Amino acid sequence: MNRKTLVLPAVIGLLAPVLAACGGSDDGGRAGGAITVGTTDSYTASKEAPAPLDPAYAYDAGSWNLLRQTLQTLMTMPRGGGEPVPEAAKECGFTDSGNERYECTLRDGLKFASGDAITATDVKYSIDRVLGIKASTGVSGLLSTVDTIETQGYKKVIFHLRTPDATFPYKLATPVAGIVHPEEYPRDKLRTGFKVDGSGPYTLRAEVKGDTIAKAVFTKNDRYTGQLTPKNNSIELRPFADADAMGAALDKGDIDLMTRTMTPAQVEKLSSATTGDVKLTATPGLEIRYLGFNTEAPVVRDKAVRQAMAQIIDRGQLASTVYGEMAEPLFSLVPANITGHSNAFFNKYGAPSADKARQILSKAGVTTPVRLTLNYTTDHYGSGTKKEFEVLKTQLDRSGLFKVEIKGTKWTDFRADGLDGKYAVYGLGWFPDFPDADNFLAPFLDEGNFLALPYVNSAIRDDLIPQSRREADRLIASDSIEEIQNIVADDVPVLPLWQGKQYVAARDDIQGVEWALDSSSNLQLWELSRGVSG
């Protein structure tokens, strides 16, 4: 088969496959062995991040992609997007008119991979445990609306919420709500290391070198009962130090498929090639990149400094220079294809302008040039990150209003230092937990947020976020959502930069590639199978 780029429709909930099969086989990995998948995500246990695969702690896309294969949740996102559907549950729904009482009934025959039966008590234990541990990563914030959990018999679980939360079904579809075995996961402390005991479609065996996973082997769980239908018996996920090494492995045939994160050069090469046995698939993506601010740090405490940066940075030039077609400028925390999105930053600041930025700083009495350091992680978001921060430095320095240094740090230290407030300005990416505007706002702005930001806006926390969560119809919630975006554009506790597309490259005997990633960049390894090379 010729190499080709195939783009799926960029509408959440309306995804449809457009990739023709190159032959077919339903025996998954049986005929040709395990399907091997490459990634540049790394999985390391450290003093700062001791429990990378504990759902009470894990809160990054890489770790969640391991947990999604192995832990079962009450709800799951359907294959092509849309609203969550029951997974470990047989049925779930709100049983009141105010979206404050949510009830689930478990499927018959649910078992952990060990063979032990799963009951409503196990579900309650799992979520109570997350809320009780309240890990520093902020992942428990996803379940912050839970007040109490009630069980009735072996199968019924009832969630009583503190406030209305129409997005709660989405949260029950994320790994933080994964059902864990009470005998393997202590109630009041994290489970360190790389073992996972769940009831998902696969079991996990991690091959570890030092404190890092060298290979994650997924084997079909024959005791799994749920919504998903694994199309293979085994998957091997192999982390690589960088995208070039991953691409070389694909070219050599050492792996069958590679995904996040590819380089712009790789995407361009595969897009333009007309021969070969590797095909490139493009799918809609909701990944965003942004700058976070410690608003208590002296250098950026005055919001005029943050506003001036928003006025100077040229997102279009940044995205095109570093990422080419893989990214587009973003003018809000909420991506362009999510209900409630508005171009709040463009509406406030318009085109990049050093003159307007100078006026902002002068009016606030800020002495220029403002000296600051932009911090980024060297090993988590791909090789383009350093170049991205070099471009940001150039843009800010060129204005004459800033004198910028950039500093790169390994992810394990970078994440911990950011949570500890050691950076005034730092760059991060966000892969949504679920495709709703709430998940691009609350994790940054609500109490116990993902960034541990000191920024507090009472209107957002006390009124607008709760107000938006009352509305099951997300179009009706848009007014509150847009108001939050306008406040963020004015206060600039975070500064959105760009929104990304996502790509998968695979050998042409691998089927289901168009479903390998959903819009939130979640790996769906159960969709892959081995067919016949075309």
Side-chain angles (χ1 to χ4, degrees), residues 46-50 57 136 412-413 416:
S46 66
K47 181 180 179 181
E48 294 77 15
Y57 180 86
S136 61
T412 50
D413 295 328

mmCIF file of all heavy atoms in Angstrom, residues 46-50 57 136 412-413 416:
data_model
loop_
_atom_site.group_PDB
_atom_site.id
_atom_site.type_symbol
_atom_site.label_atom_id
_atom_site.label_comp_id
_atom_site.label_asym_id
_atom_site.label_seq_id
_atom_site.Cartn_x
_atom_site.Cartn_y
_atom_site.Cartn_z
ATOM 1 N N SER A 46 9.998 7.551 40.818
ATOM 2 C CA SER A 46 11.046 8.313 41.496
ATOM 3 C C SER A 46 10.535 8.740 42.865
ATOM 4 O O SER A 46 9.361 8.543 43.205
ATOM 5 C CB SER A 46 11.422 9.546 40.679
ATOM 6 O OG SER A 46 10.330 10.453 40.622
ATOM 7 N N LYS A 47 11.416 9.340 43.627
ATOM 8 C CA LYS A 47 11.013 9.853 44.928
ATOM 9 C C LYS A 47 9.916 10.900 44.767
ATOM 10 O O LYS A 47 8.973 10.969 45.563
ATOM 11 C CB LYS A 47 12.222 10.465 45.642
ATOM 12 C CG LYS A 47 11.911 11.008 47.021
ATOM 13 C CD LYS A 47 13.162 11.591 47.675
ATOM 14 C CE LYS A 47 12.851 12.168 49.057
ATOM 15 N NZ LYS A 47 14.065 12.751 49.697
ATOM 16 N N GLU A 48 10.045 11.714 43.712
ATOM 17 C CA GLU A 48 9.056 12.754 43.483
ATOM 18 C C GLU A 48 7.758 12.194 42.907
ATOM 19 O O GLU A 48 6.685 12.757 43.133
ATOM 20 C CB GLU A 48 9.617 13.806 42.518
ATOM 21 C CG GLU A 48 10.789 14.604 43.068
ATOM 22 C CD GLU A 48 12.099 13.830 43.039
ATOM 23 O OE1 GLU A 48 12.171 12.795 42.336
ATOM 24 O OE2 GLU A 48 13.048 14.257 43.724
ATOM 25 N N ALA A 49 7.852 11.113 42.125
ATOM 26 C CA ALA A 49 6.678 10.495 41.504
ATOM 27 C C ALA A 49 6.726 8.994 41.767
ATOM 28 O O ALA A 49 7.071 8.205 40.896
ATOM 29 C CB ALA A 49 6.666 10.775 40.005
ATOM 30 N N PRO A 50 6.373 8.569 42.988
ATOM 31 C CA PRO A 50 6.598 7.185 43.401
ATOM 32 C C PRO A 50 5.584 6.183 42.875
ATOM 33 O O PRO A 50 5.845 4.988 42.895
ATOM 34 C CB PRO A 50 6.502 7.267 44.930
ATOM 35 C CG PRO A 50 5.552 8.402 45.162
ATOM 36 C CD PRO A 50 5.826 9.389 44.071
ATOM 37 N N TYR A 57 -2.995 8.532 41.964
ATOM 38 C CA TYR A 57 -1.867 9.449 41.783
ATOM 39 C C TYR A 57 -1.677 9.862 40.329
ATOM 40 O O TYR A 57 -1.434 11.035 40.028
ATOM 41 C CB TYR A 57 -0.584 8.790 42.290
ATOM 42 C CG TYR A 57 0.651 9.661 42.147
ATOM 43 C CD1 TYR A 57 0.984 10.575 43.135
ATOM 44 C CD2 TYR A 57 1.459 9.581 41.021
ATOM 45 C CE1 TYR A 57 2.101 11.397 43.011
ATOM 46 C CE2 TYR A 57 2.573 10.388 40.875
ATOM 47 C CZ TYR A 57 2.895 11.292 41.873
ATOM 48 O OH TYR A 57 3.991 12.103 41.737
ATOM 49 N N SER A 136 -0.821 14.719 45.461
ATOM 50 C CA SER A 136 -0.319 16.041 45.084
ATOM 51 C C SER A 136 -0.519 16.368 43.611
ATOM 52 O O SER A 136 -0.470 17.537 43.216
ATOM 53 C CB SER A 136 1.172 16.143 45.417
ATOM 54 O OG SER A 136 1.910 15.176 44.690
ATOM 55 N N THR A 412 10.270 14.311 35.468
ATOM 56 C CA THR A 412 9.997 13.931 36.853
ATOM 57 C C THR A 412 10.315 15.074 37.812
ATOM 58 O O THR A 412 9.562 15.330 38.760
ATOM 59 C CB THR A 412 10.784 12.677 37.249
ATOM 60 O OG1 THR A 412 12.166 12.859 36.894
ATOM 61 C CG2 THR A 412 10.253 11.444 36.545
ATOM 62 N N ASP A 413 11.399 15.784 37.571
ATOM 63 C CA ASP A 413 11.741 16.940 38.412
ATOM 64 C C ASP A 413 10.894 18.160 38.055
ATOM 65 O O ASP A 413 10.477 18.915 38.931
ATOM 66 C CB ASP A 413 13.220 17.278 38.261
ATOM 67 C CG ASP A 413 14.134 16.177 38.785
ATOM 68 O OD1 ASP A 413 13.735 15.488 39.740
ATOM 69 O OD2 ASP A 413 15.222 16.012 38.222
ATOM 70 N N ALA A 416 7.336 18.025 39.574
ATOM 71 C CA ALA A 416 7.376 18.226 41.027
ATOM 72 C C ALA A 416 7.720 19.676 41.361
ATOM 73 O O ALA A 416 7.117 20.285 42.263
ATOM 74 C CB ALA A 416 8.385 17.285 41.657
#
